[in-house]
Amino acid sequence: MRLLPKLLAATLLAASSLAFAHAPADDSLYIGLGAKEGIRKIVATFVPLVLADARIKESFSETDIKNLTLRLEQQFCVLAGGPCEYKGSKMTEVHDGLNVTNAQFNALTEDLQIAMERNGVPSRIQNKLVALLAPMQRGIVTK
Ligand code: HEM
């Protein structure tokens, strides 16, 4: 008779883990950005905008642009809920010593919005990505 509750518990456990296994992760932003290819295109537009932006380009004079591009693709993909892994350094470590100002942070965000606009990303989706970047400001801006 004691077996029944155990069996019931086991069944419930199995059912709930199945439910979790099938619960879809929220990848609506990832899809909205155009998935991997969309993000690749956005970053491919974004990086040259940053490198041409008089307000911030100086900071990137010694940066490995190929690496930066790859890391940004990974980071945006992860932030958007996509099936990626960010393999770069922590934001605080990367930007430590760069003396990034709020104005520079805003300039870079503006360039990202232009890049998304040029790639046909709806403003609702643009705002979602920008909102996810906003909390990073504290770790990036040091001046
Ligand atoms: C939302 C804001 C920002 C995000 C999400 C961001 C993200 C990143 C990422 C993912 C990397 C590559 C990390 C790695 O290589 O492991 C990076 C590097 C870098 N970022 Fe930012 N960044 C932001 C703002 C800024 C701003 C405002 C500046 C300066 C104006 C800046 C300057 C740099 C530089 C110079 C590097 C290269 C560092 C190096 O090569 O050692 N970033 N950033």
Side-chain angles (χ1 to χ4, degrees):
M1 278 305 275
R2 284 232 211 99
L3 199 64
L4 200 63
K6 269 192 186 164
L7 249 172
L8 241 166
T11 312
L12 276 171
L13 199 74
S16 66
S17 62
L18 253 179
F20 276 115
H22 289 269
D26 183 7
D27 62 355
S28 56
L29 179 54
Y30 174 69
I31 301 300
L33 291 171
K36 233 176 201 151
E37 185 54 15
I39 292 173
R40 194 194 60 73
K41 285 183 182 162
I42 292 163
V43 174
T45 308
F46 174 49
V47 171
L49 280 173
V50 167
L51 298 179
D53 189 331
R55 300 169 293 180
I56 48 178
K57 65 178 184 183
E58 204 62 45
S59 304
F60 296 89
S61 58
E62 285 168 31
T63 301
D64 175 348
I65 300 305
K66 220 177 140 191
N67 171 71
L68 178 69
T69 303
L70 177 68
R71 297 300 174 227
L72 287 170
E73 285 171 6
Q74 291 175 347
Q75 192 188 41
F76 293 166
C77 178
V78 170
L79 276 171
C84 307
E85 206 184 322
Y86 174 67
K87 294 185 177 156
S89 310
K90 277 191 189 157
M91 288 296 93
T92 43
E93 280 164 20
V94 173
H95 300 94
D96 187 37
L98 289 176
N99 294 322
V100 177
T101 64
N102 276 319
Q104 287 180 313
F105 186 93
N106 293 339
L108 183 130
T109 307
E110 213 177 285
D111 291 339
L112 175 60
Q113 279 176 295
I114 295 170
M116 288 193 280
E117 190 71 36
R118 289 197 185 158
N119 284 282
V121 176
S123 46
R124 181 178 49 84
I125 301 288
Q126 290 181 27
N127 293 342
K128 278 191 186 164
L129 182 60
V130 170
L132 290 173
L133 296 177
M136 293 181 185
Q137 188 154 0
R138 270 191 303 145
I140 292 173
V141 172
T142 52
K143 202 179 166 191

